[in-house]
């Protein structure tokens, strides 16, 4: 499919290039600048059409498949190098509410920070909520050392339960519960653990609390063991986040990211926007 779209793209570009070469040949040099601008506009149009229709197809395929990306799939993408700053998640919308897990405070603070563009997107999402509902965020940027400790603890438990497992397989299984540090979205300020609260500050019923791994059969976004109301609430959160180009992690209904390697893998991009920020 990608080859077909690329072929059509370059056929279109070749066609407009031939037209402009003929234009250069038959008209005075005073018109060349104008012709060059026209070609640039046509090239931009070709790029736009390619991006709009091919990328849209890729995105729809990933959303429809509801696939839980593996560690091996995520690590094929490159880390980004943006120097975009970390900002308070409430910077652009103070109505967003937060609830920081005690284990996150050890290496951070009692506030939640994310990349600037992530904060802007969350602000817009919060504005789309009605009837007094608001976003509630439990985790954004996470110190790399915290991520490492959480990962190693979970990996050790998996190995304890199966002593003959390979290290690579242990990483794969652990990644489903806590991301391998070298591809984790939280340590680059690109991922959030998020839910929605009503006008009274009560969390909508999502079937589990955020990071409630005691209910392992219910934490996947499309788990079969949840009620219709819980599914509708998850769909509301999911669709709002997707509307701002966040990538869902379907293994955890609460986890979304923008600009990290998981996001890049989900949307079929070669590299992430962000890399480690400390």
């Amino acid at each position: 499919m990608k080859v077909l779209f690329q072929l059509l793209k370059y056929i279109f570009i070749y066609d407009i290039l031939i037209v402009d070469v003929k234009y250069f040949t038959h008209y005075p040099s005073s018109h060349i600048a104008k012709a060059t601008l026209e070609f640039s506009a046509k090239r931009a149009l070709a790029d736009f059409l390619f991006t709009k229709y091919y990328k849209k197809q890729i995105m729809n395929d990933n959303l429809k498949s509801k696939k839980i990306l593996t560690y091996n799939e995520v690590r094929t993408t490159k880390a980004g190098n943006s120097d975009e700053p970390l900002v308070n998640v409430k910077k652009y919308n103070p109505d967003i509410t937060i609830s920081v897990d005690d284990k996150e405070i050890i290496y951070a603070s009692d506030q939640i920070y994310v990349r600037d563009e992530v904060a802007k997107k969350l602000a817009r999402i919060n504005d789309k909520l009605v009837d007094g509902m608001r976003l509630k965020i439990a985790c954004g940027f996470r110190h790399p050392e915290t991520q490492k400790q959480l990962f190693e603890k979970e990996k050790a438990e998996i190995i304890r339960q199966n002593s003959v497992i390979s290290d690579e397989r242990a990483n794969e299984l652990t990644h489903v519960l806590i991301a391998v540090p070298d591809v984790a979205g939280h340590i680059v300020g690109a991922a959030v653990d998020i839910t929605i609260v009503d006008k009274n500050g009560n969390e909508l019923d999502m079937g589990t609390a955020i990071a409630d791994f005691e209910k392992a059969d219910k934490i996947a976004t499309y788990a079969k063991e949840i009620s219709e109301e819980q599914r509708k609430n998850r769909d509301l959160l999911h669709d709002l986040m997707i509307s701002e180009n966040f990538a869902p992690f379907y293994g955890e209904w609460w986890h979304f990211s923008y600009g990290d390697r998981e996001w890049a893998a989900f949307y079929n991009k070669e590299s992430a926007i962000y890399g480690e920020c400390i």
Side-chain angles (χ1 to χ4, degrees):
M1 180 65 74
K2 182 175 182 179
V3 174
L4 175 60
F5 274 99
Q6 286 279 17
L7 180 60
L8 291 174
K9 173 183 174 182
Y10 288 114
I11 288 174
F12 178 46
I13 292 173
Y14 175 79
D15 179 63
I16 60 177
L17 180 60
I18 293 299
V19 171
D20 284 340
V21 168
K22 291 179 179 178
Y23 186 94
F24 293 159
T25 303
H26 290 90
Y27 289 84
S29 59
S30 61
H31 294 279
I32 290 179
K34 179 181 178 182
T36 302
L37 288 174
E38 289 178 351
F39 172 71
S40 297
K42 292 173 184 177
R43 174 60 185 267
L45 176 61
D47 287 336
F48 169 76
L49 292 173
F50 172 75
T51 300
K52 178 179 180 181
Y53 292 107
Y54 171 64
K55 293 297 184 183
K56 183 177 180 180
Q57 180 64 38
I58 289 296
M59 183 183 72
N60 287 343
D61 287 347
N62 286 335
L63 289 173
K64 288 177 181 177
S65 69
K66 302 178 178 61
K67 183 176 182 180
I68 300 174
L69 296 181
T70 67
Y71 169 55
N72 284 331
E73 289 170 323
V74 175
R75 70 177 180 175
T76 61
T77 60
K78 301 175 183 177
N81 57 11
S82 172
D83 59 358
E84 188 176 298
L86 289 170
V87 301
N88 191 302
V89 74
K90 302 173 69 168
K91 178 179 180 180
Y92 298 106
N93 196 322
D95 289 336
I96 292 173
T97 184
I98 64 172
S99 177
V100 185
D101 191 310
D102 288 344
K103 67 177 178 291
E104 305 291 348
I105 298 177
I106 297 174
Y107 291 102
S109 70
D110 59 354
Q111 298 298 311
I112 292 177
Y113 296 89
V114 294
R115 295 288 186 153
D116 191 68
E117 185 61 26
V118 174
K120 290 177 181 177
K121 288 177 175 293
L122 292 171
R124 291 194 291 268
I125 291 171
N126 198 76
D127 285 339
K128 296 176 184 179
L129 289 165
V130 297
D131 299 328
M133 291 189 292
R134 294 174 292 162
L135 294 178
K136 181 177 181 180
I137 301 170
C139 183
F141 167 74
R142 176 183 291 151
H143 194 285
E145 186 61 28
T146 303
Q147 184 75 25
K148 180 180 178 181
Q149 289 181 8
L150 294 172
F151 176 80
E152 292 297 340
K153 180 180 179 180
E154 193 63 44
K155 181 179 177 180
E157 178 60 22
I158 288 175
I159 292 175
R160 186 188 68 80
Q161 294 176 14
N162 188 352
S163 60
V164 298
I165 195 172
S166 69
D167 187 67
E168 181 177 356
R169 181 58 178 161
N171 285 340
E172 278 281 349
L173 293 175
T174 308
H175 182 78
V176 176
L177 300 173
I178 179 76
V180 179
D182 65 353
V183 301
H186 283 295
I187 68 173
V188 301
V192 289
D193 294 340
I194 189 169
T195 189
I196 299 173
V197 296
D198 64 20
K199 63 182 180 181
N200 297 316
N202 300 312
E203 295 184 9
L204 299 191
D205 184 3
M206 300 288 185
T208 76
I210 289 176
D212 182 4
F213 294 103
E214 294 299 318
K215 300 179 180 178
D217 59 336
K218 294 184 177 182
I219 63 175
T221 305
Y222 295 101
K224 296 180 180 180
E225 292 76 12
I226 61 175
S227 69
E228 185 61 27
E229 178 187 1
Q230 293 163 352
R231 186 172 304 283
K232 288 180 179 179
N233 290 337
R234 290 186 184 191
D235 285 345
L236 173 62
L237 176 62
H238 174 273
D239 293 349
L240 284 168
M241 298 300 284
I242 293 300
S243 74
E244 284 291 338
N245 201 33
F246 280 88
F249 174 59
Y250 287 124
E252 299 170 350
W253 62 261
W254 59 82
H255 184 97
F256 296 85
S257 63
Y258 170 81
D260 65 341
R261 292 172 74 177
E262 177 118 23
W263 169 85
F266 187 85
Y267 287 115
N268 197 42
K269 298 179 183 295
E270 290 185 2
S271 67
I273 298 173
Y274 310 120
E276 288 191 25
C277 46
I278 63 171

